[in-house]
Amino acid sequence: MTISRDAVVDWIKAFADVIAVNKDYLTELDAAIGDADHGANMHRGFQAVLTKLPTVADKDIGTLFKTVGMTLVSTVGGAAGPLYGTFFIQLGSATTGKLELTMADWQAALEAGVNGVVMRGKANPGDKTMVDALIPALGAFKAASASNAALPAALRDAAQAAEQGMLATTPWVARKGRASYLGERSAGHQDPGATSSHLLLKAAADTWADNSGNVG
Amino acid sequence: MVAIVIVSHSARLAQGAAELARGMAGPDVPLAAVGGLDLPDQPLGTDAALIQKAIESVYQPDGVVVLMDLGSAILSTEMALEALPPEQRERIALCEAPLVEGALAAAVQSRLGASLAQVLAEARGALAPKAAQLGLVPPDQSAVTAAVPAGPALTLELAVRNRLGLHARPAARLVQTAGQFAGADVHLRNVTAGRGPVSAKSINAVATLGVRQGQIVEITAAGLEAEAALAALQRLADDNFGDVDEPAPPAERVVARPTVTSGEAGSLLGLPVSPGIALGPARLFQPAVLAIPTHRIDNPQAEWDRLLAALERTRAQIQAARTAVAQRTDRYAAAIFDAHLLFLDDEALRGPARAAIFDERLNAAAAWQRAVDSVSAAYQALDDDYLRVRAADVADVGRQALLNLSNGHSPAPLTQAGIVVAGDLSPADMAALDPSLVMGVCTAYGGPTSHAAILARTLGVPAVAGLGPGLLAVAEGTVLLMDGATGQVWPEPAAALAADYVRRAEAERSTKAAALAASAAPAVTRDGRRIEIAANIGSVADAQAALAAGAEGVGLFRTEFVFLDRRAAPDEEEQYAIYRAAAAGLEGRPVIIRTLDAGGDKPLPYLDLGPEANPFLGWRAVRVCLDRPEFFKVQLRAIVRAAAEFPVRVMFPMVATLGEWRQARDLLAEARAETAARGLPVPASLETGIMIEIPAAALRAKQFAAEVDFFSIGTNDLTQYVMAAERGNPRVAALADSFHPAVLDLIGRVAQAAHGLGKWAGVCGEFAGDPLAVPLLVGLGIDELSMSAPAIPRAKAIVRDLEAGRLGDLVERALAAETAADVRALARQAVRSNP
């Protein structure tokens, strides 16, 4: 089972749609503990990505991911810019020259992406950041893969783990980013970055598991 | 200097902080502000790619300090850093200091020439003074905190009377005096130039203020010994900073000793003339070796008269050079030329020469040479550095007079690529150098405003002048590294230093190439006003350079080159060939040919102009041409013939009255009729305009506009005439500033007068290419800017960033301003707020 180049494009587009739909929700989350721009920033970034996609439609998956990353770096504006930018650029480095991804390819790419985010943001698990969704997701995907699960199942596991991680952030006190200025007052709010990360992995599971035309 | 980059989510915040820092440290610190996203609505945020570009734009081998606000600014900056080459990365420090205070402290420290570590330390301690002021305990008692003086600051303001300003020697005395008071924190600011404040305890810092004669400096002292320090400094100032008020000896021109050793220590410092970095072998420019004939003569009186005439010609040349060279060069120019002039009258030379002619019946050249040799040898034998340099002066003057006696010379042409090393170059020398071989030009004498210097800038050749006679000790082929922007020259530079500079030169080249790539397109403001950007040229070769730089035409073709350095006037065929070649080289773009602009400062033997006490107010340019109509019509016929084939326009220089204009216009009509009568093709119409240089013409622009096709404002001369200040006289040179509101006022009126009658107005002259002048001139309604070719890409880029419809406010404030400095500050803001 592999993920085709078209399937990758579909994932990005699907996520852009998800962000468009959840723009206000993300902003609302961010308003509670940040500067109320996460939804708008991500939306601006992925709309810009949508306009860029056609220019790389015939390129390899690595180029596609790097283009997404570079676009986000220049259009998101907030911390999500360099963070998601790094995530996608790392995905791109791990998939250079590939026109389809095996399960192992995707695992390696996801690992590179998550490591990139950790390196860039210097956040640890429990700091109430997107890392709290991404790290459990990576762990779940690896576990599923080790037990020979099929790709759609592994993607599901990863998305679910991200959701658990996201929900877990609610009671925590933020230790990174703008939210850390709030100290104790940041407790009781779900982290917007972890939320968008969950949505990203959920979009992957939805796109790649349900659309058998692209995943073969 | 260490560069500073300010990163913020907000472009305006970053720019504001940068503005404050510049205000504090002056414009020279390499400083870049970056913030917001490069999107139409400029949302808040940071963009790693933009930050990377900002760092690259100011990168210095000395290091870069990056100050950021928070959140994504840090992440994006780190990301930008990773994209830079490792050798650059290690010289870039991300600094946690507070943005505004950190930027100010870092900029000031950088300006003092401090190292990266020192600048960082200063930035990190930037909150200490604020904490002290608020009566809070500073976070830590660092060295910076300790340096903050207790007690109120005392100030002393004084005018610097020293002939050469606070140049090396008086500056050193000031620093030594200030340095005696460890208990006082002494700062110095150049009030007139708006530079500083800097520590008065650093020679380099004080030197960067560039204090010139007549400028006001402010000395601030704080701390326990503040009063004592100020009193000592006041005494020093009363004592003229220890300077005896006399012409500076030429030996002083050498700031570093001219010993040819390798490395930084052996560098020579001169006057920056034309920016650019060059690394190449020295090519000694040999003045033509004169074969001096020796023979007996029959008519000693005629021979003596010939010598006197040659000496007079030499005097005119030196005076012209003095005028040109001393323009805004603060330091030595006047003294050098004054010394040369004195030798011309020196009985020690004239007496023996006269005796040789009358008593021995020797020819003038041989008699003069013998006198020169003997005086020069006498100086050479003296045990005194200062006087020994005089030997070179005598030899210089002697050779120049000899050249005049034998009617001109042809310099040895450059045959191999390299950096030209010369005592001084005349414009003709400079023009004769093969541009494909000249990597740079270094001269022992001369200054940044000489004609040769203007030429070097026009040609885009890096040049440094005034390096002192020590330069001439450099052997042929010695590797030289030169930085035309700072005036530094290193003979046999260390490999690392050279590599650094070569890297910088490459970075400069790529920036230039980018601007050049964009330069071919027209210059249209954001709101759609097209400004024609043209080039000033002085030769056929210049036309090609102008085209390559993106000129949309030639706004000023100076024709003096056709006439200078020759015994007989060029005939019509020769002139026609030159004008035609220049026009043809422009591939269909228009060229404005200015008729001959010569006077007492540009001697032409066949016109018998003769020296004048005041050549700029004398018989020159169109005044001469109208008095010599047959001579003038030769040029006019050549222009008419070129205009029959190419889009040629013609303009007359130095027109003061309507009568002069009409006479010139009628002569042009005659020239046209004569050409047609010979059966040669003539143009259907020939656009004819005048230069606006004389206030009388500017004030009567409306009357002229009814008759001429266009105006071209010659800002160099217009400024001198409006301010009644000669740029060659250092005591008044600062007055002759084109940014003065009075000059701008006239320019605006001329543009209005032109437009009122459907005519157009352009500006030619150095002012048109000054990046700060561009928004003002566009705002005043000028339609065409004509400048030296290398200035074109930048000027076009500035025009494209302007919103013409919104310049009204700038113009209004500039016209309401009191001083040229105020206008500059306004323009600077305008250029900056139009990123």
Side-chain angles (χ1 to χ4, degrees):
Chain A
M1 242 187 175
T2 57
I3 304 164
S4 69
R5 183 178 62 188
D6 289 347
V8 169
V9 172
D10 287 344
W11 170 44
I12 308 285
K13 286 181 176 166
F15 183 57
D17 288 346
V18 168
I19 289 293
V21 170
N22 287 284
K23 185 175 77 161
D24 294 340
Y25 169 57
L26 289 173
T27 292
E28 211 174 292
L29 289 177
D30 197 27
I33 58 170
D35 47 4
D37 63 2
H38 188 55
N41 285 352
M42 290 290 281
H43 181 58
R44 179 174 55 230
F46 276 89
Q47 290 306 307
V49 166
L50 287 185
T51 66
K52 274 277 168 65
L53 280 180
T55 65
V56 287
D58 58 344
K59 297 286 191 318
D60 65 286
I61 294 175
T63 303
L64 210 139
F65 278 142
K66 280 183 203 158
T67 305
V68 171
M70 291 311 294
T71 307
L72 295 177
V73 159
S74 289
T75 55
V76 171
L83 289 169
Y84 278 110
T86 301
F87 179 79
F88 278 100
I89 289 167
Q90 290 299 325
L91 290 191
S93 299
T95 56
T96 302
K98 291 191 191 298
L99 294 174
E100 57 176 21
L101 304 178
T102 64
M103 200 161 156
D105 289 338
W106 173 246
Q107 181 177 315
L110 185 62
E111 182 152 21
V114 174
N115 284 340
V117 172
V118 171
M119 228 185 53
R120 173 74 53 229
K122 302 187 182 81
N124 294 313
D127 282 349
K128 194 165 178 151
T129 68
M130 56 193 281
V131 162
D132 291 315
L134 290 175
I135 287 183
L138 174 64
F141 190 90
K142 278 181 166 175
S145 166
S147 60
N148 292 320
L151 177 63
L155 290 167
R156 277 274 155 249
D157 287 0
Q160 271 163 19
E163 184 173 14
Q164 295 304 317
M166 166 192 86
L167 293 172
T169 62
T170 304
W172 294 344
V173 171
R175 288 200 288 259
K176 284 278 169 197
R178 204 74 66 90
S180 62
Y181 286 86
L182 290 174
E184 293 294 331
R185 277 170 294 155
S186 63
H189 300 279
Q190 182 177 308
D191 180 61
T195 310
S196 57
S197 290
H198 162 242
L199 293 175
L200 179 70
L201 295 173
K202 182 165 183 300
D206 292 348
T207 313
W208 294 340
D210 301 346
N211 189 344
S212 50
N214 283 325
V215 183
Chain B
M1 254 188 271
V2 173
I4 293 152
V5 176
I6 301 171
V7 181
S8 166
H9 280 62
S10 153
R12 281 184 294 168
L13 175 55
Q15 279 159 10
E19 192 178 338
L20 286 168
R22 273 200 203 95
M24 193 77 177
D28 298 339
V29 175
L31 212 156
V34 56
L37 301 183
D38 190 15
L39 295 173
D41 53 340
Q42 298 190 322
L44 294 180
T46 56
D47 172 350
L50 288 183
I51 297 169
Q52 185 193 337
K53 268 191 227 157
I55 294 175
E56 283 168 343
S57 75
V58 292
Y59 178 81
Q60 298 289 323
D62 289 343
V64 181
V65 170
V66 187
L67 295 141
M68 305 134 285
D69 58 10
L70 66 174
S72 74
I74 303 166
L75 302 183
S76 295
T77 304
E78 285 177 334
M79 205 166 172
L81 215 56
E82 284 163 23
L84 290 165
E87 68 273 13
Q88 290 195 359
R89 218 180 299 157
E90 64 196 26
R91 293 183 202 166
I92 301 171
L94 308 193
C95 178
E96 76 283 12
L99 200 66
V100 175
E101 292 85 349
L104 288 180
V108 170
Q109 198 63 19
S110 158
R111 173 63 178 279
L112 295 181
S115 68
L116 178 60
Q118 288 168 321
V119 174
L120 266 179
E122 194 78 3
R124 285 180 175 137
L127 279 183
K130 195 167 165 183
Q133 181 135 18
L134 292 172
L136 307 168
V137 181
D140 70 307
Q141 296 288 340
S142 68
V144 177
T145 319
V148 173
L154 301 173
T155 357
L156 169 68
E157 225 179 63
L158 44 93
V160 172
R161 293 178 314 216
N162 299 56
R163 200 181 161 92
L164 304 177
L166 283 185
H167 71 110
R169 202 170 45 192
R173 293 224 177 80
L174 183 139
V175 170
Q176 285 156 8
T177 307
Q180 289 162 8
F181 300 93
D185 193 14
V186 188
H187 281 90
L188 189 69
R189 196 161 72 87
N190 182 337
V191 178
T192 312
R195 289 181 159 200
V198 299
S199 166
K201 296 183 180 180
S202 155
I203 182 70
N204 286 323
V206 171
T208 58
L209 293 182
V211 178
R212 287 181 280 162
Q213 186 183 39
Q215 293 192 320
I216 309 286
V217 296
E218 180 192 76
I219 307 175
T220 312
L224 293 173
E225 291 185 276
E227 210 166 326
L230 276 196
L233 288 167
Q234 173 80 68
R235 274 197 302 279
L236 183 67
D238 290 344
D239 189 31
N240 225 14
F241 293 94
D243 246 5
V244 185
D245 198 12
E246 61 172 18
E252 287 256 322
R253 284 175 295 196
V254 193
V255 174
R257 284 317 292 175
T259 43
V260 181
T261 54
S262 56
E264 186 87 42
S267 80
L268 305 175
L269 186 59
L271 300 165
V273 158
S274 174
I277 289 159
L279 177 69
R283 299 287 173 222
L284 302 190
F285 187 82
Q286 308 286 1
V289 180
L290 291 168
I292 300 159
T294 305
H295 52 85
R296 304 286 148 197
I297 42 99
D298 301 329
N299 186 345
Q301 187 57 48
E303 205 63 11
W304 174 242
D305 289 346
R306 244 164 53 74
L307 178 58
L308 289 184
L311 293 180
E312 278 317 304
R313 252 198 311 281
T314 307
R315 180 194 312 284
Q317 288 161 353
I318 294 174
Q319 264 162 349
R322 179 188 189 282
T323 304
V325 164
Q327 280 176 4
R328 298 198 178 154
T329 64
D330 13 326
R331 299 197 272 175
Y332 335 96
I336 299 166
F337 289 105
D338 290 346
H340 281 199
L341 285 173
L342 285 177
F343 281 121
L344 282 180
D345 292 329
D346 201 327
E347 263 309 300
L349 286 169
R350 289 189 174 216
R354 194 195 297 111
I357 291 173
F358 284 97
D359 304 346
E360 296 178 40
R361 307 257 154 163
L362 206 55
N363 61 314
W368 174 251
Q369 186 58 35
R370 192 203 275 175
V372 167
D373 283 347
S374 116
V375 170
S376 173
Y379 275 120
Q380 200 87 56
L382 295 172
D383 186 24
D384 181 324
D385 272 353
Y386 167 73
L387 291 171
R388 260 205 303 276
V389 177
R390 291 279 151 131
D393 286 338
V394 174
D396 268 359
V397 174
R399 193 170 52 242
Q400 213 169 337
L402 217 50
L403 285 170
N404 281 316
L405 209 50
S406 61
N407 281 319
H409 64 296
S410 51
L414 195 62
T415 53
Q416 278 176 290
I419 295 174
V420 174
V421 170
D424 201 355
L425 288 179
S426 70
D429 291 338
M430 183 72 98
L433 295 172
D434 181 345
S436 64
L437 297 178
V438 194
M439 302 168 73
V441 172
C442 294
T443 65
Y445 309 105
T449 50
S450 69
H451 287 132
I454 291 172
L455 262 174
R457 278 196 292 278
T458 308
L459 297 169
V461 175
V464 176
L467 286 155
L471 172 72
L472 303 176
V474 167
E476 171 82 18
T478 307
V479 174
L480 296 180
L481 169 65
M482 62 179 289
D483 184 347
T486 63
Q488 281 169 291
V489 176
W490 295 265
E492 291 175 349
L497 183 76
D500 250 359
Y501 271 83
V502 168
R503 250 200 306 279
R504 255 159 70 180
E506 270 157 22
E508 269 177 27
R509 253 195 292 282
S510 65
T511 315
K512 243 195 217 163
L516 207 59
S519 191
V524 179
T525 63
R526 287 176 180 215
D527 49 348
R529 204 176 122 203
R530 166 117 189 233
I531 305 295
E532 198 177 320
I533 306 288
N536 297 343
I537 66 168
S539 71
V540 175
D542 283 355
Q544 267 115 45
L547 211 57
E552 292 160 49
V554 164
L556 168 63
F557 181 10
R558 301 186 180 95
T559 53
E560 288 73 66
F561 279 79
V562 185
F563 296 85
L564 287 176
D565 289 322
R566 54 191 304 154
R567 260 172 282 181
D571 65 16
E572 183 183 318
E573 289 307 317
E574 181 181 352
Q575 291 194 49
Y576 165 63
I578 291 169
Y579 304 151
R580 193 183 180 284
L586 291 169
E587 298 172 5
R589 292 169 185 76
V591 51
I592 301 177
I593 301 180
R594 179 179 71 183
T595 60
L596 179 63
D597 180 13
D601 61 321
K602 288 175 191 160
L604 305 177
Y606 45 89
L607 264 190
D608 195 21
L609 292 166
E612 288 186 69
N614 217 332
F616 285 96
L617 297 181
W619 194 53
R620 64 180 294 113
V622 81
R623 301 172 180 182
V624 173
C625 290
L626 294 178
D627 287 351
R628 296 265 189 285
E630 289 313 316
F631 165 81
F632 191 29
K633 278 200 291 183
V634 174
Q635 181 175 37
L636 295 177
R637 284 194 300 267
I639 294 172
V640 165
R641 287 171 63 187
E645 300 166 76
F646 299 99
V648 167
R649 301 164 181 162
V650 61
M651 69 178 173
F652 306 118
M654 281 288 285
V655 172
T657 68
L658 278 167
E660 285 170 337
W661 145 252
R662 287 176 187 150
Q663 250 182 292
R665 181 196 58 192
D666 293 347
L667 283 174
L668 181 64
E670 277 176 35
R672 188 190 146 88
E674 288 162 11
T675 305
R678 277 154 64 200
L680 294 170
V682 294
S685 68
L686 178 51
E687 256 193 76
T688 310
I690 58 169
M691 295 270 296
I692 298 277
E693 296 152 293
I694 300 179
L699 290 164
R700 306 297 283 174
K702 237 185 233 173
Q703 280 74 15
F704 281 102
E707 302 185 17
V708 305
D709 293 318
F710 64 89
F711 292 135
S712 184
I713 306 171
T715 40
N716 295 357
D717 285 339
L718 180 66
T719 304
Q720 297 200 78
Y721 295 141
V722 167
M723 303 305 293
E726 178 200 356
R727 297 202 294 187
N729 183 341
R731 287 173 191 262
V732 299
L735 275 172
D737 190 330
S738 299
F739 280 92
H740 195 282
V743 178
L744 297 178
D745 203 351
L746 269 185
I747 293 175
R749 285 161 196 260
V750 170
Q752 272 179 16
H755 295 164
L757 285 156
K759 309 295 168 67
W760 61 269
V763 169
C764 59
E766 299 278 296
F767 195 51
D770 187 323
L772 286 183
V774 172
L776 290 166
L777 293 172
V778 172
L780 286 166
I782 292 299
D783 306 289
E784 178 241 32
L785 298 172
S786 192
M787 60 199 71
S788 59
I792 289 176
R794 177 97 194 268
K796 282 197 166 182
I798 291 172
V799 167
R800 291 192 189 111
D801 275 341
L802 293 175
E803 188 116 21
R806 289 172 57 181
L807 289 169
D809 181 50
L810 168 68
V811 165
E812 205 174 299
R813 289 166 67 191
L815 292 178
E818 271 189 30
T819 66
D822 292 347
V823 173
R824 271 207 184 77
L826 286 167
R828 207 168 281 131
Q829 276 170 17
V831 171
R832 235 178 274 147
S833 65
N834 243 318

